[in-house]
Amino acid sequence: MEHKVRFGIMSTAAIAKDAMIPAIRRADHAEVVAIASESGTASQVARELGIPKAYDNYEQLLDDPDIDAVYIPLPNSLHAEWTIKPAALCEEDVRRMIEACGKNGVLFMEAFMYQSHPQHERVKQLLAAGEIGDIKYMRAHFSFYLQDRETNIRMNHELGGGSLFDVGCYCVHSTRHILDAEPIELFVQSYFDPHRSVDLTTNGWMRMENGVLAQFTCSFDMFPQNEYEVVGTKGKIVVSRAYRPDVNEGEGRITVVTNDGNIREETVPGDQYTLQIEHFSRGILEGLPLLYSSEQMIKQARALDACRTSMETGNIVRL
């Protein structure tokens, strides 16, 4: 394949500058050709990063015929608007996004970059091989201490802020992904910032369709952790760099503990952001099926909708 997928970046957000643009440049089949921002910073960022084109509004970027794909690191509340005009805060939005993309022949995938890291496939192999026996329980945790609370969009309720939609979504997604099962019942409790109506810490439990019990915690108010643990009848598996192995040079870490007292550690290298870009680019160039299907995106949104309902009502939600 000589052709590269030409990406436009819709926003000068930190995740784009620090993670996605470098990842696209590391990919063999992708390149960054344009960036847009309505804050007036696009030209400066384009100069700093050597991006050929800069636009001061998103419409211009979408109208550029030289762009094959668009990465949208906008606040959660704006994802649906700019995907349809090209994921989102609710199942209805996700369905509208998928429908709009389908009608216009556009390939669409929610950017859960962590799932592209090979450590998770290794965990699935270990579970399938019966390393820890029958699976009974899973726990996921993603937290960090948010410093700039006065200006950070994560603290803006209108923009889809809060820990559940920022980092808790990874906990819910990884539980579904690793267990290959959907929640049928869940309950969520949250501690809210008293002035901004966003959840600073959320804790939840889920009963999965395969009988496994699961818990998750996400927070803007805790020491940084990003891990999950799967417990079975014969042992447990701990993935201690589950969502951000990139901060440890891409090295994932899996610990297997069994009833006989054996403790085994495995390290799994991988560049999750670049692997995600390569996977999506090959989907465009070769028509290969995407790892993360439309059906899976809808199921993820449905689970998060249920979490939000439980958070707001204080009730158990049955799906």
Side-chain angles (χ1 to χ4, degrees), residues 198-215:
V198 298
D199 64 298
L200 296 177
T201 298
T202 289
N203 181 261
W205 68 260
M206 299 184 289
R207 186 185 302 275
M208 310 302 287
E209 61 187 347
N210 58 1
V212 175
L213 295 177
Q215 286 184 297

Side-chain angles (χ1 to χ4, degrees), residues 145-192:
Y145 191 83
L146 183 61
Q147 299 285 350
D148 55 335
R149 302 190 180 195
E150 295 300 320
T151 59
N152 197 295
I153 62 169
R154 293 177 175 88
M155 298 296 291
N156 190 323
H157 175 73
E158 299 301 320
L159 294 178
S163 68
L164 175 64
F165 282 97
D166 189 65
V167 287
C169 57
Y170 289 88
C171 300
V172 174
H173 188 280
S174 60
T175 301
R176 297 177 49 256
H177 178 55
I178 295 301
L179 298 179
D180 193 23
E182 299 301 320
I184 58 173
E185 188 176 59
L186 59 80
F187 177 68
V188 166
Q189 287 183 312
S190 301
Y191 171 75
F192 288 86

Side-chain angles (χ1 to χ4, degrees), residues 224-257:
Q225 296 181 82
N226 70 109
E227 66 178 29
Y228 63 74
E229 174 185 60
V230 186
V231 182
T233 54
K234 298 180 180 179
K236 68 177 182 178
I237 295 172
V238 179
V239 182
S240 55
R241 300 169 180 171
Y243 312 115
R244 295 300 309 275
D246 52 294
V247 301
N248 295 97
E249 299 182 344
E251 187 176 88
R253 177 178 293 168
I254 299 170
T255 304
V256 182
V257 183

Side-chain angles (χ1 to χ4, degrees), residues 83-86 95-106:
T83 301
I84 293 168
K85 207 169 184 183
R95 287 185 180 277
R96 290 192 299 123
M97 294 159 77
I98 291 169
E99 181 182 359
C101 289
K103 285 182 177 178
N104 290 279
V106 173

Side-chain angles (χ1 to χ4, degrees), residues 53-286:
K53 300 180 184 180
Y55 296 113
D56 290 326
N57 69 70
Y58 303 139
E59 292 281 6
Q60 290 176 318
L61 184 138
L62 293 175
D63 290 339
D64 188 332
D66 293 331
I67 293 175
D68 302 312
V70 177
Y71 174 62
I72 308 177
L74 292 170
N76 291 330
S77 63
L78 299 178
H79 289 182
E81 174 186 352
W82 288 103
T83 301
I84 293 168
K85 207 169 184 183
L89 286 178
C90 66
E91 181 182 346
E92 181 182 353
D93 279 350
V94 173
R95 287 185 180 277
R96 290 192 299 123
M97 294 159 77
I98 291 169
E99 181 182 359
C101 289
K103 285 182 177 178
N104 290 279
V106 173
L107 202 62
F108 172 56
M109 188 176 80
E110 191 175 7
F112 272 114
M113 77 296 177
Y114 90 93
Q115 66 183 323
S116 297
H117 197 285
Q119 66 178 333
H120 308 294
E121 192 57 39
R122 176 57 179 156
V123 169
K124 287 193 163 191
Q125 292 171 359
L126 293 170
L127 295 175
E131 286 268 343
I132 62 169
D134 296 332
I135 304 168
K136 297 296 183 180
Y137 170 77
M138 181 167 173
R139 173 189 61 84
H141 184 109
F142 199 174
S143 66
F144 64 98
Y145 191 83
L146 183 61
Q147 299 285 350
D148 55 335
R149 302 190 180 195
E150 295 300 320
T151 59
N152 197 295
I153 62 169
R154 293 177 175 88
M155 298 296 291
N156 190 323
H157 175 73
E158 299 301 320
L159 294 178
S163 68
L164 175 64
F165 282 97
D166 189 65
V167 287
C169 57
Y170 289 88
C171 300
V172 174
H173 188 280
S174 60
T175 301
R176 297 177 49 256
H177 178 55
I178 295 301
L179 298 179
D180 193 23
E182 299 301 320
I184 58 173
E185 188 176 59
L186 59 80
F187 177 68
V188 166
Q189 287 183 312
S190 301
Y191 171 75
F192 288 86
D193 181 276
H195 306 294
R196 298 178 180 84
S197 299
V198 298
D199 64 298
L200 296 177
T201 298
T202 289
N203 181 261
W205 68 260
M206 299 184 289
R207 186 185 302 275
M208 310 302 287
E209 61 187 347
N210 58 1
V212 175
L213 295 177
Q215 286 184 297
F216 70 89
T217 302
C218 56
S219 182
F220 292 159
D221 239 5
M222 295 184 186
F223 179 80
Q225 296 181 82
N226 70 109
E227 66 178 29
Y228 63 74
E229 174 185 60
V230 186
V231 182
T233 54
K234 298 180 180 179
K236 68 177 182 178
I237 295 172
V238 179
V239 182
S240 55
R241 300 169 180 171
Y243 312 115
R244 295 300 309 275
D246 52 294
V247 301
N248 295 97
E249 299 182 344
E251 187 176 88
R253 177 178 293 168
I254 299 170
T255 304
V256 182
V257 183
T258 53
N259 287 348
D260 57 10
N262 183 52
I263 300 175
R264 184 179 82 250
E265 281 199 352
E266 298 184 14
T267 56
V268 183
D271 184 345
Q272 61 186 17
Y273 284 103
T274 300
L275 288 169
Q276 176 183 249
I277 290 297
E278 283 287 280
H279 174 68
F280 189 72
S281 296
R282 292 175 72 91
I284 294 173
L285 297 173
E286 299 181 14

